[in-house]
Amino acid sequence: MNLATPYLGLELRNPLIASSSSQNGDIDHLRRLDDAGIGAVVLPSVFQEQLEAQQSDFESLLAQQPNHSPEAESYLPPIDSGPYGLGPEHHLALVMRAKRELSVPVIASLNGSSLSGWTRYAALLEEAGADALELNIYFVPVDIEEPGTAVEQRYLDVLGAVRQTVKIPVAVKMPPYFSSVGHMAKRLVEAGADGLVLFNRYLQPDINLTRMELSSELVLSRPGEMRLPLMWTALLAGRIEASLAASTGVENVDQVLKYLLAGADTVMLAAAILRHGPTYVRTLLEDLEAWLESRRLESLAQIRGNMSWSRLKKHDNYIRANYLHLLETFTSAHNA
Ligand SMILES: Cc1cc2nc3c(=O)[nH]c(=O)nc-3n(C[C@H](O)[C@H](O)[C@H](O)COP(=O)(O)O)c2cc1C
């Protein structure tokens, strides 16, 4: 069965990618994902806050460029310390070690919210051997004086700064909160994004009624959350010149298939690996092959994008017209 998948100009053995997560900071975990057949891995993000808090370490690494970290590989991240507490040099060591020990592409991840010097860290990740970079521009536009155009420009500026720094492919993990998601996707691609991850999953706070305070617990996704990225994957597939990675809500092969049918090049998963462990990747791949075999299909190309906007002749289900129809059907079914 041919599951080979191009993503960001890289050749993946299959479309499954381990999404950026803290677990991916552990080299043993990464090795298990590789053994289970994962197509590529995204390392835990290096955060703007980390780089700014450890400015002097970061500056001295930059100053030593191109031979910035001759000893970096010996500073391997201890298994018991989380990746987000580690300094700039440790992340480079993780990239180097992952590159040395894994058979699949290693994508580094940078996470920040505004344009400043931290974006220069991208060059160090490239030099450490990252095959590609995922850029997660995560911020909540709380300033109600800031217009949407300024918010959009911020994304483009940060991407532009990173793009100027590296030659490796860059994917933007974008949020779904733009007034014109498709147009923003197009502008990101025009500004140099080789791929888009649809979407970044923002962690909105809840209110704890007992303690009468805000709570920010990390709740893992459920498949129901895939509808928004599924829709935008389908709307954008074949219409922009970039790879598309669908992300959020993958629990079993059904979600993988839906994302591929919508037109995703690759499908990312974090929660499913956390819930079931890295060997679950093997199960997903077997289930994917079994599904294709049961329909006498030989490659993913035969299904990829078949449900996308650009392939379908009827678009009712993707646009507003369908809303009224659904309400009518629902109401008559419940009144019957
Ligand atoms: C424990 C944990 C750690 C995560 N760390 C990162 C991170 O460092 N950078 C990032 O861009 N996303 C991070 N994410 C978000 C995931 O990459 C992914 O976008 C999100 O979990 C939705 O995918 P899922 O439904 O497959 O879990 C993290 C998610 C979890 C659960």
Side-chain angles (χ1 to χ4, degrees), residues 18-33 41-45 77-79 81-84 86 91 94 98 102 218 220 269-281:
S19 237
S20 180
S21 93
S22 31
Q23 283 195 309
N24 293 357
D26 175 355
I27 196 75
D28 292 329
H29 178 78
L30 291 174
R31 250 193 256 112
R32 285 197 289 272
L33 286 169
V41 297
V42 187
L43 300 182
S45 294
I79 300 298
S81 73
Y84 305 120
L86 301 174
H91 276 278
L94 181 64
L102 304 188
L218 197 166
L220 294 181
L269 43 148
I273 296 173
L274 276 160
R275 286 197 185 100
H276 307 290
T279 52
Y280 188 59
V281 170

Side-chain angles (χ1 to χ4, degrees), residues 19-22 43-45 47 84 109 111 134 136 173 199-201 218 220-222 247-250 268-272 274:
S19 237
S20 180
S21 93
S22 31
L43 300 182
S45 294
F47 287 80
Y84 305 120
S109 166
N111 193 316
E134 189 174 285
N136 182 336
K173 190 170 187 177
F199 289 111
N200 197 4
R201 182 172 180 256
L218 197 166
L220 294 181
S221 70
R222 292 280 168 199
S247 167
T248 303
V250 173
M268 295 195 163
L269 43 148
L274 276 160

Side-chain angles (χ1 to χ4, degrees), residues 186-222:
K186 196 165 165 279
R187 289 182 75 197
L188 287 166
V189 174
E190 284 163 2
D194 301 279
L196 300 172
V197 181
L198 308 174
F199 289 111
N200 197 4
R201 182 172 180 256
Y202 279 22
L203 299 174
Q204 285 100 355
D206 197 359
I207 294 176
N208 183 317
L209 290 176
T210 314
R211 296 206 193 136
M212 289 298 274
E213 62 184 25
L214 286 181
S215 64
S216 301
E217 192 192 348
L218 197 166
V219 179
L220 294 181
S221 70
R222 292 280 168 199

Side-chain angles (χ1 to χ4, degrees), residues 69-107:
S69 53
E71 305 93 36
E73 273 188 278
S74 58
Y75 296 145
L76 293 175
I79 300 298
D80 57 351
S81 73
Y84 305 120
L86 301 174
E89 193 141 357
H90 287 82
H91 276 278
L92 302 180
L94 181 64
V95 173
M96 288 182 200
R97 187 153 175 198
K99 272 306 293 170
R100 200 177 59 209
E101 300 200 19
L102 304 188
S103 68
V104 292
V106 173
I107 302 170

Side-chain angles (χ1 to χ4, degrees), residues 46-69 86-92 110-111 114-127 161-162 165-166:
V46 187
F47 287 80
Q48 176 178 0
E49 293 86 338
Q50 283 175 298
L51 296 171
E52 287 172 353
Q54 305 188 34
Q55 188 76 27
S56 55
D57 293 1
F58 175 32
E59 291 296 339
S60 72
L61 282 174
L62 282 170
Q64 291 165 42
Q65 229 183 333
N67 300 311
H68 64 86
S69 53
L86 301 174
E89 193 141 357
H90 287 82
H91 276 278
L92 302 180
L110 263 179
N111 193 316
S114 59
L115 185 60
S116 66
W118 67 278
T119 53
R120 289 173 299 158
Y121 190 72
L124 299 178
L125 291 167
E126 175 177 52
E127 207 185 299
V162 168
T165 320
V166 294

